[in-house]
Amino acid sequence: MKWPRGVVVGLIVVVIGGVGAWAYGFFVAPESVEEISAKWTLSGHADGESYSFTRWDDEEPPEIPRVCAKCHSMEGYLDFVGADGSAAGEVDRAVLGGSVVSCRTCHNEPAHQMAEVTFPSDITVEERTKAANCMQCHQGRQSTPDIDEALAGLEPDVVSDDLGFVNVHYAVAAATLLGGDAQVGYQYPGKSYVGRFEHVEEYDTCIECHDAHSTFRNPDQCSPCHLNVVDRTDLREIRVSGVDYDGDGDVDEPIRGEVASFHDALYAAIQDYAAEVIGEPIVYEDSFPYFFNDPDGGEVTFADRYASWTPRLVRATYNYHYVHEDAGAYTHNARYVLQLLYDSMEDLGQAVPVQMEGFVRP
């Protein structure tokens, strides 16, 4: 039998009334600092060459904006949680670049005592686990209220010079996990959305599924319930629901495939809407600012960024990009992202024909 990592089988002597009894027991062997450090160096949090940590190196001085410093530097996060003696909840001093997310970022008293997290929607959720620290940065920077405020009073299909693409930001796993409880995806009025994805109790926080230091996922933790899982690549093949959400007749494809079908269909609807209603074809590229004028086969540049925005297009592209930016959305909260994608297609369908036959909203 293969025991989970870190668990050692030991021979334990139990003394009862002077009589020794032999028994097999289990205890967790603590990881050494060297083992933890080796794992941490493999993580994105330790990548000092990453654009996440070098973005401001060429500035004079190389100062990180305060709204960014919380998640893009150790000093900024220590300031945010109040570990530097300042008030918690904001970065209130200038922070220079050059640091990564290291041990002291998360291992300090205020971080250990954190019990709630406020999302961009200004909704505060209780999180009495160490995963509260993960949620502070993996939550995005926009939300339903932000979109609604930007679009207030505008006609849904009229181009406005005041509008542009709204970027939720990056690595929004915590927002997806919380779903409708955080309202970071764009949630259409009159629709209901699932809240936090309740997985099994032993694996329902960030650092119960991801190793806290390497951020890797251990497939041995999943295989007892998901029998198809042998290695990490198999995690993409998990499916539990028997509902054929995309109507293709395949109830055995991974839930990741169902999400991909919705995502692709939304992109097609976005392109149809831009071409037919706005009269300006649109393409998506995996580089900022993401949505561009169709270059007729050539390469896009920043100068080709899409500029003809209507409220209906802003909402749909926001959700399309949101799902793209959470590569594990199908694991973190598949029903929530399927709802976002379905509602975006349905809304575009009020202006152009959208192929949704067979699609099922969770």
Side-chain angles (χ1 to χ4, degrees):
M1 179 177 180
K2 184 177 181 181
W3 304 108
R5 181 186 303 168
V7 175
V8 178
V9 181
L11 194 60
I12 303 173
V13 179
V14 181
V15 179
I16 305 175
V19 179
W22 298 95
Y24 281 106
F26 302 92
F27 58 90
V28 177
E31 292 180 300
S32 67
V33 172
E34 290 77 13
E35 289 172 321
I36 290 173
S37 297
K39 291 198 302 184
W40 173 78
T41 58
L42 298 174
S43 75
H45 293 152
D47 185 1
E49 301 299 316
S50 168
Y51 189 67
S52 300
F53 302 117
T54 61
R55 162 68 177 80
W56 301 275
D57 284 0
D58 294 332
E59 302 291 332
E60 289 292 343
E63 185 175 310
I64 306 174
R66 295 184 188 183
V67 295
C68 306
K70 163 189 161 185
C71 299
H72 291 271
S73 69
M74 179 183 72
E75 288 80 5
Y77 194 73
L78 293 176
D79 187 335
F80 176 78
V81 299
D84 62 350
S86 65
E90 64 177 350
V91 178
D92 51 16
R93 62 181 177 84
V95 176
L96 297 180
S99 65
V100 295
V101 178
S102 57
C103 307
R104 194 157 60 93
T105 310
C106 300
H107 292 288
N108 60 76
E109 192 61 25
H112 288 172
Q113 297 301 318
M114 191 180 300
E116 60 184 28
V117 181
T118 300
F119 283 78
S121 56
D122 286 334
I123 294 174
T124 299
V125 300
E126 184 177 287
E127 182 64 32
R128 297 184 178 277
T129 73
K130 293 179 181 178
N133 290 281
C134 311
M135 291 182 173
Q136 290 289 359
C137 290
H138 292 280
Q139 58 170 244
R141 291 188 57 195
Q142 303 289 342
S143 66
T144 296
D146 295 318
I147 302 292
D148 284 339
E149 181 179 356
L151 305 183
L154 299 178
E155 292 297 319
D157 300 309
V158 175
V159 173
S160 171
D161 292 337
D162 295 329
L163 297 179
F165 170 64
V166 180
N167 181 10
V168 67
H169 210 51
Y170 313 104
V172 292
T176 306
L177 176 68
L178 271 294
D181 294 342
Q183 297 183 16
V184 173
Y186 183 74
Q187 301 180 190
Y188 286 83
K191 298 288 188 176
S192 61
Y193 293 86
V194 296
R196 181 177 184 143
F197 174 49
E198 299 289 350
H199 199 234
V200 295
E201 185 176 356
E202 295 83 358
Y203 299 110
D204 64 352
T205 70
C206 311
I207 57 176
E208 288 175 338
C209 291
H210 293 267
D211 183 282
H213 300 108
S214 70
T215 72
F216 288 172
R217 296 151 297 167
N218 181 0
D220 292 344
Q221 297 172 320
C222 307
S223 55
C225 293
H226 300 288
L227 301 181
N228 68 298
V229 175
V230 176
D231 57 35
R232 280 199 293 271
T233 60
D234 295 328
L235 297 173
R236 296 185 171 193
E237 306 303 313
I238 289 175
R239 183 191 181 99
V240 175
S241 173
V243 178
D244 180 18
Y245 291 110
D246 60 8
D248 64 357
D250 187 355
V251 294
D252 295 320
E253 70 173 327
I255 194 64
R256 177 171 172 266
E258 303 273 14
V259 172
S261 293
F262 275 54
H263 201 229
D264 291 345
L266 175 56
Y267 183 50
I270 287 171
Q271 291 193 299
D272 287 345
Y273 176 86
E276 297 177 23
V277 175
I278 299 175
E280 295 288 346
I282 192 172
V283 293
Y284 180 84
E285 299 287 340
D286 191 14
S287 61
F288 184 82
Y290 306 106
F291 286 95
F292 299 85
N293 295 310
D294 191 335
D296 294 325
E299 292 187 6
V300 297
T301 66
F302 186 79
D304 298 315
R305 65 191 181 278
Y306 201 77
S308 302
W309 293 94
T310 68
R312 202 183 303 277
L313 186 63
V314 168
R315 293 191 291 257
T317 54
Y318 178 87
N319 278 345
Y320 180 85
H321 182 67
Y322 175 100
V323 175
H324 178 272
E325 286 306 322
D326 185 2
Y330 60 93
T331 296
H332 300 138
N333 200 334
R335 290 192 299 159
Y336 181 63
V337 295
L338 287 172
Q339 289 174 338
L340 295 177
L341 296 170
Y342 184 99
D343 293 346
S344 298
M345 286 187 281
E346 187 177 62
D347 186 55
L348 290 173
Q350 296 184 37
V352 292
V354 176
Q355 179 53 255
M356 297 180 65
E357 184 178 354
F359 278 28
V360 177
R361 186 186 193 272

